[in-house]
Amino acid sequence: MGQSVLVPGFARVGGRLYADGVSLSRIARDIGTPTYVYSAARIREQYRRLESALMSALPDVAHRIHFSVKANSNLAVLRTLQELGAGVDIVSAGELYRTREAGFGGADVVFSGVGKTADELSQALNSMVLFINVESEGELRLLNDVAASMELVAPVTLRVNPEVTVESPHEYIRTGEKGHKFGIPYDDAMHVAMLAHELPHVKLVGLDMHIGSQISTWAPYEQALARIKPLIASLRAAGVTTLQWLDIGGGLAVTYDDEAPADVDRFAAGVAEAVRGLGLSLVVEPGRFLVAESGVLLTRVLYRKRSGGKEYIITDAGMNDLVRPSHYQAYHRIDAVDTVDTQVTADVVGPVCESGDFLALQRVMPDVQPGDLLAVQTAGAYGFVMASNYNSRPRPAEVIVDGDRFALATERERLEDLVRLERAHLRWRNAE
Ligand code: LLP
């Protein structure tokens, strides 16, 4: 029997963890494990929180939330956001394809990324995306050539590296500091912008920045915008009249453990102050903020083991299913699906043949036993999308819950899928 939904997302009802109105053990019974489970209600709640903060702070500035698809590119998740009126931020032809499948129009799409190919640029132009965030002079010149061959003019925003200090939990998720591979180095920005102004097959429609991820304070955005705004003024002084957009990227933080989440009202008020009077429309590109807390990775305990005085909990999900703990030393809370009263300090590890295959180290947590279910929390962003087939492990299933219903959003990969594109019998080509 479904429960009435009191809290959107994951909550304990009578000793059992629920996703909205559906118990996680029910999902495990039907779909198996490991499985990612997403709450549609929680996604909607996050979107509306951000949207209403922006709306009240920026009543007179056109703005749009473009979900950063890299955080979770599941078609059902994309569809949920599309129905709310979101746009998307993409970084590859693959993400473009997914967004079109999910029902987004070309004008809903902004195309970011440091290494777009000529083919990807031409697909984006074919789809008539809203604009392309260009990250180097080389890319600008290539885009101009691609657009010329298609007899088009490409709408371009330049991603400028504001070169500010960004506080975020891991160096891999900082992108706006001096010397990073992302964006156009600050000192080159005017020169590249003027080139964009002059090239016949691109139109400079705005500026863009993205300074990093899991940013919980307003200060780095403020510092970055204080660097971007003089560029806008200089461009206008130089006769550029085509600027329409300011894209300030993503990065809003969520709570994994006990850290502060982004204060969206402070964020919106800061943005409002920074963009007031600029005469530009605003784009924000949050990924994690919209989906992280809407997802868990549901996994079953396979074994318990004691080694060298340490307790191990061995689960059927490993680093190939959720790489964040191993790759970024990221913390994810782990809950027992059915309440267990005693506690243990343990390493939670997967079946992958790597010592770096863990979901948690030295964690004080419920003393679960083989057969019990665990929910790895805050796994809706950068979870499934970073999953791999390492150790020839099929990738997990994805389920979406809406109220007291649930649906399979991605089938679990089958063994045949693992070798679908491979050939045991080779067709040799002669190199001569
Ligand atoms: N826009 C651009 C151009 C980006 O590169 C990113 C993320 C975003 C927006 C969205 O950032 P968010 O709002 O999600 O912080 N795999 C890492 C995170 C990598 C983020 C890459 N870029 C992790 O698991 O923490």
Side-chain angles (χ1 to χ4, degrees), residues 241-253:
T241 56
T242 47
L243 302 180
Q244 299 171 52
W245 300 99
L246 177 62
D247 179 347
I248 64 168
L252 298 174

Side-chain angles (χ1 to χ4, degrees), residues 66-71 89-91 112-113 133 135 159 169-170 172-175 182 208-215 221 247-253 256 284-291 323-324 327-328 330 332 381-383 385-386:
H66 282 248
F67 172 60
S68 192
V69 170
K70 63 175 80 64
D89 159 53
I90 60 157
V91 290
S112 307
N133 283 323
E135 299 213 20
R159 175 167 174 185
H170 197 278
Y172 290 178
I173 57 174
R174 292 175 207 153
T175 52
F182 297 101
D208 164 53
M209 65 181 217
H210 170 73
I211 53 176
S213 202
Q214 187 61 5
I215 303 171
Y221 290 101
D247 179 347
I248 64 168
L252 298 174
Y256 285 92
V284 291
E285 300 172 351
R288 191 189 312 266
F289 179 81
L290 295 178
V291 292
V323 79
R324 300 193 74 257
H327 192 54
Y328 309 109
H332 286 262
Y382 308 109
V385 286
M386 294 181 81

Side-chain angles (χ1 to χ4, degrees), residues 229-280:
K229 281 171 66 174
L231 290 175
I232 297 168
S234 304
L235 286 170
R236 285 182 169 150
V240 177
T241 56
T242 47
L243 302 180
Q244 299 171 52
W245 300 99
L246 177 62
D247 179 347
I248 64 168
L252 298 174
V254 302
T255 301
Y256 285 92
D257 184 7
D258 53 9
E259 67 275 53
D263 177 343
V264 283
D265 295 315
R266 176 73 192 89
F267 175 81
V271 174
E273 201 178 305
V275 304
R276 183 162 299 126
L278 273 187
L280 296 178

Side-chain angles (χ1 to χ4, degrees), residues 189-227:
M190 260 318 273
H191 158 74
V192 181
M194 289 314 291
L195 181 64
H197 180 56
E198 281 148 26
L199 288 171
H201 287 277
V202 296
K203 179 176 169 196
L204 181 65
V205 296
L207 293 183
D208 164 53
M209 65 181 217
H210 170 73
I211 53 176
S213 202
Q214 187 61 5
I215 303 171
S216 53
T217 59
W218 167 246
Y221 290 101
E222 185 171 31
Q223 285 156 18
L225 285 167
R227 304 263 288 164

